[in-house]
Amino acid sequence: MPHFFLRQSDDGAIEQVLKDGEPHQEAVQLEQLYTIVTIYFRLASRNIEQMSQLERCEERRGFGLQSFLMSLTGLEAFTNTFFHLRSQELDSDEMLNRIKQNHGSLSQKIKDLILLSSDGPVRNQDTLIAQIFSLSQLRNEIVHPRWTPSSVTLQRIAINGLVENRQAIFESVQFCREALFWCLLVIARIAQARGFEDIRGFMFHWTANYDLSLPAILQELGLPAD
């Protein structure tokens, strides 16, 4: 863990920054851990707000795509940071090693870390993990785009070199909003498993979204209340 030491002059001004005992010449900006996560969820929410104000499909698609990617990235950031803290609390090298692994699906990583955390499975875990797996697979398609040639025939005229572009799904405000709330539900269920009866403070801390209660999240997804 890098350690920074700020050497000050007699008047309190910082005159030198040391990193692990050595002079550090670059700029340093140290922030609270949760900021790694909250920026993605703030961006996801803001992009959905922008979508709601637009009529043109192409414009909505751009904001929707950004919202979707930020939602999944936020969930991954939460997974890596929250469970890193849990690994310190539990003094678990096994959990820390799993966090460092980049191969495999995000959904499997979440499942493994929940198991290692000793908090027990979260409510409706199988359904939740399956949903995140599906969204993650779509994200993989989006961030690793490829062309599968498609064609169409219209009144005996064949048009080749087309593509069935799955990005069109991001024109739907409802789809993008539901993707965000599935990611939020994972965090809410983890908070619930940790023993939080009122999860709103936990959710704000990690997602910067106000008043996110479990009933509100379930209602957004059209799921029955607990």
Side-chain angles (χ1 to χ4, degrees):
M1 178 176 63
H3 176 72
F4 292 89
F5 178 78
L6 307 181
R7 181 174 292 162
Q8 296 175 284
S9 60
D10 292 339
D11 61 1
I14 297 174
E15 59 181 19
Q16 189 176 30
V17 177
L18 302 178
K19 180 181 179 181
D20 296 331
E22 299 294 330
H24 186 70
Q25 304 302 328
E26 300 176 8
V28 177
Q29 184 168 327
L30 300 176
E31 300 180 3
Q32 294 293 323
L33 174 62
Y34 61 83
T35 60
I36 297 174
V37 182
T38 54
I39 186 173
Y40 299 112
F41 285 112
R42 285 202 307 268
L43 288 170
S45 298
R46 288 174 185 173
N47 277 288
I48 290 175
E49 290 175 5
Q50 290 290 329
M51 288 182 74
S52 304
Q53 300 172 17
L54 299 172
E55 295 183 0
R56 294 181 57 189
C57 292
E58 289 184 1
E59 292 178 342
R60 287 204 309 272
R61 183 186 299 191
F63 286 107
L65 178 58
Q66 293 178 76
S67 174
F68 177 79
L69 293 176
M70 291 299 96
S71 296
L72 270 294
T73 305
L75 179 58
E76 185 167 2
F78 169 81
T79 300
N80 289 331
T81 52
F82 173 78
F83 285 107
H84 193 143
L85 287 176
R86 288 292 288 140
S87 73
Q88 292 178 334
E89 293 171 0
L90 299 170
D91 194 23
S92 173
D93 291 335
E94 187 177 6
M95 183 181 289
L96 187 58
N97 289 334
R98 184 64 182 93
I99 292 167
K100 292 178 180 178
Q101 293 173 2
N102 293 321
H103 61 274
S105 66
L106 172 60
S107 54
Q108 185 62 49
K109 189 174 193 178
I110 293 171
K111 186 176 180 179
D112 291 344
L113 290 170
I114 289 174
L115 179 62
L116 291 170
S117 72
S118 72
D119 295 325
V122 302
R123 185 159 183 164
N124 298 324
Q125 179 170 306
D126 289 344
T127 300
L128 194 52
I129 292 297
Q131 187 65 42
I132 295 304
F133 178 77
S134 177
L135 294 174
S136 295
Q137 289 298 101
L138 178 57
R139 181 182 69 165
N140 290 341
E141 292 180 29
I142 297 302
V143 299
H144 302 291
R146 292 180 176 84
W147 176 39
T148 301
S150 300
S151 61
V152 63
T153 300
L154 179 63
Q155 295 183 349
R156 299 182 181 180
I157 299 175
I159 304 175
N160 298 315
L162 301 176
V163 62
E164 186 178 358
N165 192 350
R166 295 198 67 188
Q167 294 175 6
I169 196 173
F170 301 115
E171 295 168 9
S172 168
V173 176
Q174 180 178 350
F175 174 82
C176 295
R177 188 171 180 84
E178 287 183 355
L180 169 59
F181 273 86
W182 277 114
C183 294
L184 293 173
L185 181 57
V186 174
I187 299 174
R189 290 302 191 193
I190 289 172
Q192 187 181 38
R194 290 289 297 127
F196 287 87
E197 294 185 6
D198 185 348
I199 67 167
R200 287 176 293 183
F202 185 94
M203 297 300 293
F204 178 73
H205 179 81
W206 286 106
T207 73
N209 280 266
Y210 290 100
D211 207 26
L212 278 177
S213 65
L214 191 55
I217 295 172
L218 293 172
Q219 184 177 16
E220 283 283 348
L221 293 169
L223 298 174
D226 288 348

